[in-house]
Amino acid sequence: MKRFLLSVIAIVGVMLSAFANAGGDALNKVINTYKASKGISVDYVISSTDGKYKGKIAMQGNKFCMTADNMVCWYDGKTQWSYSTISAEVAIMEPTKEELQVVNPMAIISSFQSGFTASVPKASQIKLVPKKGKSSDYSSILITTGKNNLPTSIVFVMKDRTRLTITLSNYLTNRNFPASTFVFNKAHVPAGTPIVDLR
């Protein structure tokens, strides 16, 4: 579950940071496009040796809501609520600065920008490799983009050479999500679900 959650969160980061150092103002262009979108939603499929998972992410600013067959995660910029069908409970936490490095899209941008070197092997593709001396779980990341300049697929090659592929589709922009989108809603979990406050 932890690996799955981090993989989904990585989608957010890569969408916003894939173009880091890949030519001039490319990163600023992606960030500005994201900010101008006033909310994005996208469908995803994650494929790895652990199986295949699919779901949807809604993002706006530093807030997001992720849904999948076996989990829902809300983050309103301060508090994170996570529901898993495996644990059958909702966990509430306020991520620390370190934990925000994997849940805050803008923090992920910084980590990719400072920790990876980008190249453009061919049109519509960007390859990211860790900079020398930088610790990373990945040996490389390959992003393929569509006509909207947003990723359509992301292939993570792990240090042990295993692969995790994320396919993205059905982008919707200018969603203007209400604040409630990013806050836990008990209507989305079974009645009587225990709530564990870890704050």
Side-chain angles (χ1 to χ4, degrees):
M1 175 57 64
K2 181 179 180 181
R3 184 177 180 183
F4 169 70
L5 181 58
L6 292 179
S7 298
V8 175
I9 292 170
I11 299 172
V12 181
V14 172
M15 283 175 58
L16 301 179
S17 62
F19 299 91
N21 303 319
D25 298 323
L27 178 60
N28 286 335
K29 181 179 180 181
V30 173
I31 294 172
N32 291 335
T33 299
Y34 173 69
K35 289 180 177 178
S37 72
K38 297 179 181 178
I40 287 178
S41 70
V42 60
D43 295 335
Y44 66 84
V45 177
I46 298 176
S47 304
S48 73
T49 54
D50 295 331
K52 184 176 287 189
Y53 307 91
K54 62 182 179 179
K56 181 184 289 286
I57 301 176
M59 301 175 286
Q60 192 161 300
N62 67 342
K63 304 173 183 180
F64 59 84
C65 177
M66 299 179 294
T67 61
D69 292 336
N70 60 352
M71 66 159 287
V72 185
C73 182
W74 300 263
Y75 181 67
D76 68 355
K78 179 183 179 183
T79 304
Q80 176 182 314
W81 300 263
S82 300
Y83 169 71
S84 164
T85 58
I86 297 174
S87 65
E89 64 184 22
V90 175
I92 307 175
M93 63 181 294
E94 291 182 358
T96 64
K97 182 178 180 180
E98 290 73 25
E99 289 166 333
L100 283 174
Q101 293 298 314
V102 293
V103 299
N104 186 322
M106 290 304 183
I108 298 173
I109 290 175
S110 297
S111 68
F112 272 86
Q113 188 172 19
S114 63
F116 287 77
T117 298
S119 62
V120 182
K122 64 180 182 180
S124 77
Q125 284 192 342
I126 293 175
K127 184 176 183 179
L128 296 171
V129 295
K131 291 181 179 179
K132 289 183 179 180
K134 294 289 186 179
S135 176
S136 174
D137 292 332
Y138 314 114
S139 62
S140 67
I141 302 171
L142 183 66
I143 302 99
T144 301
T145 61
K147 293 180 180 179
N148 59 1
N149 291 323
L150 292 171
T152 55
S153 73
I154 306 166
V155 179
F156 296 88
V157 181
M158 309 300 177
K159 285 185 175 179
D160 63 2
R161 311 310 297 173
T162 58
R163 293 176 176 242
L164 185 149
T165 301
I166 299 172
T167 304
L168 300 160
S169 61
N170 300 323
Y171 281 99
L172 296 175
T173 60
N174 298 310
R175 306 309 293 165
N176 290 305
F177 296 110
S180 59
T181 302
F182 310 106
V183 177
F184 168 62
N185 185 337
K186 63 181 181 181
H188 293 162
V189 301
T193 296
I195 297 177
V196 180
D197 196 333
L198 302 175
R199 290 174 292 183

